[in-house]
Amino acid sequence: MVALARRTTAAFCLLFVAGCVTDELVVYKETVVTKASIKPFIGVYHVEEWPGNAKPESVRVTEKDEDLHFSYSLPDKKVQLHFLLSKIPNSKSELYLLSIPGQDDTNQANMFFIGKAEKGQTHIWAVFSNLPVAKDHLKFQDGKAKEVKKFLAKRADAFVMANEPQVTLKNPER
């Protein structure tokens, strides 16, 4: 399970995606990755699929002051952000919630993504209001998702099965 969680850390790389925005930071406090379990998440992930035309070659995940951070470079911008990772309750597919608190690079918006590791790869989903499962079961107001924790705990597995991931990363070799 720790290896699976390590591979999901790169999910937070979808900074350009609107629709994964919330007023409040979404995190499952009871299953958040703590200092004792941070090490398996650290590494450099090769980017295989990425939305848009500008695609970084890799994403680096590091630990700083007991927190997880990720960074990547684009031709005109370097991104470095803090994030939280927690296991989604009731997920039979071992899905994780990747939460990015509001920061300068996110225009102070709280963002969230779903992540799943498979052998050799990590897949990341942005939750848009017009996608299957979300359009029928997740509330959006003014472009921001509402009741995200409840939606994910009940329907994250169904959402992942019904939608293609926007990001695919090759996991670091250990």
Side-chain angles (χ1 to χ4, degrees):
M1 184 167 109
V2 172
L4 173 68
R6 170 179 46 125
R7 296 176 198 137
T8 64
T9 60
F12 39 77
C13 303
L14 292 169
L15 294 177
F16 314 112
V17 182
C20 298
V21 177
T22 62
D23 285 326
E24 295 181 26
L25 181 65
V26 180
V27 65
Y28 296 103
K29 292 179 183 177
E30 61 280 358
T31 61
V32 74
V33 174
T34 63
K35 179 181 178 175
S37 55
I38 281 180
K39 189 173 181 176
F41 297 91
I42 307 304
V44 177
Y45 297 78
H46 175 73
V47 177
E48 294 182 345
E49 292 181 40
W50 189 272
N53 295 330
K55 173 180 131 178
E57 289 184 28
S58 63
V59 174
R60 178 178 302 277
V61 177
T62 58
E63 182 249 338
K64 181 179 177 185
D65 301 326
E66 301 180 16
D67 291 326
L68 288 170
H69 294 258
F70 72 92
S71 60
Y72 61 89
S73 295
L74 296 172
D76 60 341
K77 186 174 187 175
K78 183 174 181 172
V79 176
Q80 184 171 354
L81 295 172
H82 159 87
F83 72 98
L84 297 161
L85 182 67
S86 55
K87 187 172 180 183
I88 297 175
N90 306 321
S91 173
K92 295 184 183 354
S93 301
E94 299 288 320
L95 299 176
Y96 283 81
L97 168 62
L98 300 116
S99 300
I100 303 171
Q103 300 169 56
D104 289 340
D105 281 347
T106 64
N107 293 324
Q108 301 302 321
N110 297 301
M111 302 177 77
F112 73 97
F113 304 93
I114 299 172
K116 179 180 181 177
E118 295 180 332
K119 186 173 183 170
Q121 293 182 326
T122 294
H123 300 285
I124 301 158
W125 289 262
V127 182
F128 297 114
S129 61
N130 63 342
L131 291 177
V133 181
K135 69 181 173 186
D136 295 325
H137 301 285
L138 182 60
K139 297 175 186 175
F140 287 84
Q141 182 179 359
D142 300 324
K144 295 181 182 178
K146 305 292 181 189
E147 299 182 15
V148 175
K149 287 172 66 172
K150 184 177 175 182
F151 168 78
L152 293 174
K154 287 185 176 182
R155 298 191 174 16
D157 289 328
F159 180 86
V160 165
M161 297 226 11
N163 296 285
E164 293 294 319
Q166 289 86 6
V167 169
T168 300
L169 304 164
K170 183 176 180 184
N171 299 330
E173 298 296 322
R174 297 275 185 240

